[in-house]
mmCIF file of all heavy atoms in Angstrom:
data_model
loop_
_atom_site.group_PDB
_atom_site.id
_atom_site.type_symbol
_atom_site.label_atom_id
_atom_site.label_comp_id
_atom_site.label_asym_id
_atom_site.label_seq_id
_atom_site.Cartn_x
_atom_site.Cartn_y
_atom_site.Cartn_z
ATOM 1 N N ASN A 44 3.134 13.951 16.128
ATOM 2 C CA ASN A 44 3.312 13.147 14.920
ATOM 3 C C ASN A 44 4.738 12.773 14.666
ATOM 4 O O ASN A 44 5.023 12.213 13.592
ATOM 5 C CB ASN A 44 2.695 13.877 13.678
ATOM 6 C CG ASN A 44 3.474 15.076 13.308
ATOM 7 O OD1 ASN A 44 4.266 15.582 14.152
ATOM 8 N ND2 ASN A 44 3.148 15.613 12.174
ATOM 9 N N VAL A 45 5.685 13.082 15.603
ATOM 10 C CA VAL A 45 7.075 12.759 15.323
ATOM 11 C C VAL A 45 7.286 11.360 15.180
ATOM 12 O O VAL A 45 8.023 10.856 14.209
ATOM 13 C CB VAL A 45 7.962 13.343 16.505
ATOM 14 C CG1 VAL A 45 9.381 12.818 16.351
ATOM 15 C CG2 VAL A 45 7.946 14.818 16.542
ATOM 16 N N GLU A 46 6.791 10.486 16.036
ATOM 17 C CA GLU A 46 7.004 9.047 15.930
ATOM 18 C C GLU A 46 6.404 8.482 14.691
ATOM 19 O O GLU A 46 7.009 7.623 13.955
ATOM 20 C CB GLU A 46 6.395 8.281 17.195
ATOM 21 C CG GLU A 46 6.779 6.829 17.206
ATOM 22 C CD GLU A 46 6.424 6.206 18.460
ATOM 23 O OE1 GLU A 46 5.929 6.853 19.348
ATOM 24 O OE2 GLU A 46 6.533 4.957 18.556
ATOM 25 N N THR A 47 5.196 8.889 14.277
ATOM 26 C CA THR A 47 4.502 8.439 13.096
ATOM 27 C C THR A 47 5.412 8.815 11.816
ATOM 28 O O THR A 47 5.608 8.011 10.951
ATOM 29 C CB THR A 47 3.171 9.109 12.913
ATOM 30 O OG1 THR A 47 2.381 8.753 14.078
ATOM 31 C CG2 THR A 47 2.460 8.611 11.633
ATOM 32 N N ARG A 48 5.942 10.041 11.820
ATOM 33 C CA ARG A 48 6.801 10.382 10.696
ATOM 34 C C ARG A 48 8.082 9.461 10.680
ATOM 35 O O ARG A 48 8.434 9.082 9.504
ATOM 36 C CB ARG A 48 7.250 11.851 10.823
ATOM 37 C CG ARG A 48 8.059 12.297 9.700
ATOM 38 C CD ARG A 48 8.934 13.532 9.920
ATOM 39 N NE ARG A 48 8.423 14.463 10.889
ATOM 40 C CZ ARG A 48 9.134 14.624 12.027
ATOM 41 N NH1 ARG A 48 10.241 14.043 12.294
ATOM 42 N NH2 ARG A 48 8.606 15.480 12.990
ATOM 43 N N GLU A 49 8.712 9.255 11.737
ATOM 44 C CA GLU A 49 9.902 8.400 11.730
ATOM 45 C C GLU A 49 9.545 6.942 11.294
ATOM 46 O O GLU A 49 10.386 6.369 10.559
ATOM 47 C CB GLU A 49 10.601 8.418 13.045
ATOM 48 C CG GLU A 49 11.181 9.847 13.372
ATOM 49 C CD GLU A 49 12.272 9.880 14.388
ATOM 50 O OE1 GLU A 49 12.533 8.797 15.041
ATOM 51 O OE2 GLU A 49 12.933 10.833 14.535
ATOM 52 N N GLN A 50 8.408 6.494 11.668
ATOM 53 C CA GLN A 50 7.974 5.145 11.194
ATOM 54 C C GLN A 50 7.724 5.134 9.671
ATOM 55 O O GLN A 50 8.158 4.209 8.944
ATOM 56 C CB GLN A 50 6.658 4.696 11.923
ATOM 57 C CG GLN A 50 6.838 4.429 13.344
ATOM 58 C CD GLN A 50 5.525 4.212 14.079
ATOM 59 O OE1 GLN A 50 4.441 4.503 13.461
ATOM 60 N NE2 GLN A 50 5.590 3.697 15.234
ATOM 61 N N THR A 51 7.256 6.240 9.123
ATOM 62 C CA THR A 51 7.024 6.376 7.684
ATOM 63 C C THR A 51 8.413 6.367 6.934
ATOM 64 O O THR A 51 8.570 5.792 5.887
ATOM 65 C CB THR A 51 6.199 7.651 7.355
ATOM 66 O OG1 THR A 51 4.997 7.526 8.046
ATOM 67 C CG2 THR A 51 5.899 7.690 5.866
ATOM 68 N N ILE A 52 9.351 7.057 7.547
ATOM 69 C CA ILE A 52 10.706 7.174 6.903
ATOM 70 C C ILE A 52 11.337 5.801 6.811
ATOM 71 O O ILE A 52 11.869 5.416 5.835
ATOM 72 C CB ILE A 52 11.622 8.149 7.698
ATOM 73 C CG1 ILE A 52 11.124 9.595 7.585
ATOM 74 C CG2 ILE A 52 13.089 8.056 7.235
ATOM 75 C CD1 ILE A 52 11.747 10.549 8.492
ATOM 76 N N ASN A 53 11.133 5.005 7.902
ATOM 77 C CA ASN A 53 11.630 3.582 7.910
ATOM 78 C C ASN A 53 10.957 2.783 6.873
ATOM 79 O O ASN A 53 11.578 1.928 6.187
ATOM 80 C CB ASN A 53 11.524 3.043 9.269
ATOM 81 C CG ASN A 53 12.638 3.495 10.239
ATOM 82 O OD1 ASN A 53 13.706 3.563 9.828
ATOM 83 N ND2 ASN A 53 12.215 3.674 11.527
ATOM 84 N N MET A 54 9.682 2.950 6.651
ATOM 85 C CA MET A 54 8.900 2.264 5.643
ATOM 86 C C MET A 54 9.467 2.563 4.210
ATOM 87 O O MET A 54 9.653 1.641 3.353
ATOM 88 C CB MET A 54 7.400 2.580 5.668
ATOM 89 C CG MET A 54 6.707 2.001 6.856
ATOM 90 S SD MET A 54 4.966 2.527 6.954
ATOM 91 C CE MET A 54 4.309 1.819 5.432
ATOM 92 N N HIS A 55 9.730 3.847 3.984
ATOM 93 C CA HIS A 55 10.328 4.188 2.667
ATOM 94 C C HIS A 55 11.691 3.551 2.462
ATOM 95 O O HIS A 55 11.993 3.129 1.369
ATOM 96 C CB HIS A 55 10.426 5.795 2.619
ATOM 97 C CG HIS A 55 9.148 6.460 2.152
ATOM 98 N ND1 HIS A 55 8.982 6.915 0.893
ATOM 99 C CD2 HIS A 55 8.029 6.600 2.828
ATOM 100 C CE1 HIS A 55 7.772 7.383 0.788
ATOM 101 N NE2 HIS A 55 7.110 7.290 1.971
ATOM 102 N N SER A 56 12.454 3.518 3.577
ATOM 103 C CA SER A 56 13.795 2.891 3.465
ATOM 104 C C SER A 56 13.724 1.469 3.073
ATOM 105 O O SER A 56 14.514 0.985 2.208
ATOM 106 C CB SER A 56 14.532 3.052 4.797
ATOM 107 O OG SER A 56 14.744 4.508 4.993
ATOM 108 N N ARG A 57 12.824 0.700 3.735
ATOM 109 C CA ARG A 57 12.604 -0.685 3.388
ATOM 110 C C ARG A 57 12.179 -0.841 1.971
ATOM 111 O O ARG A 57 12.643 -1.793 1.241
ATOM 112 C CB ARG A 57 11.674 -1.358 4.378
ATOM 113 C CG ARG A 57 12.327 -1.531 5.782
ATOM 114 C CD ARG A 57 11.415 -2.410 6.631
ATOM 115 N NE ARG A 57 10.155 -1.789 6.949
ATOM 116 C CZ ARG A 57 9.932 -1.036 8.032
ATOM 117 N NH1 ARG A 57 10.953 -0.802 8.861
ATOM 118 N NH2 ARG A 57 8.770 -0.547 8.292
ATOM 119 N N ALA A 58 11.335 0.015 1.489
ATOM 120 C CA ALA A 58 10.790 -0.081 0.089
ATOM 121 C C ALA A 58 11.926 0.226 -0.925
ATOM 122 O O ALA A 58 12.026 -0.429 -1.923
ATOM 123 C CB ALA A 58 9.659 0.864 -0.101
#
Side-chain angles (χ1 to χ4, degrees):
N44 67 346
V45 172
E46 187 173 355
T47 301
R48 182 199 335 114
E49 294 202 347
Q50 290 171 349
T51 304
I52 292 169
N53 280 321
M54 288 175 64
H55 276 255
S56 296
R57 287 191 292 271

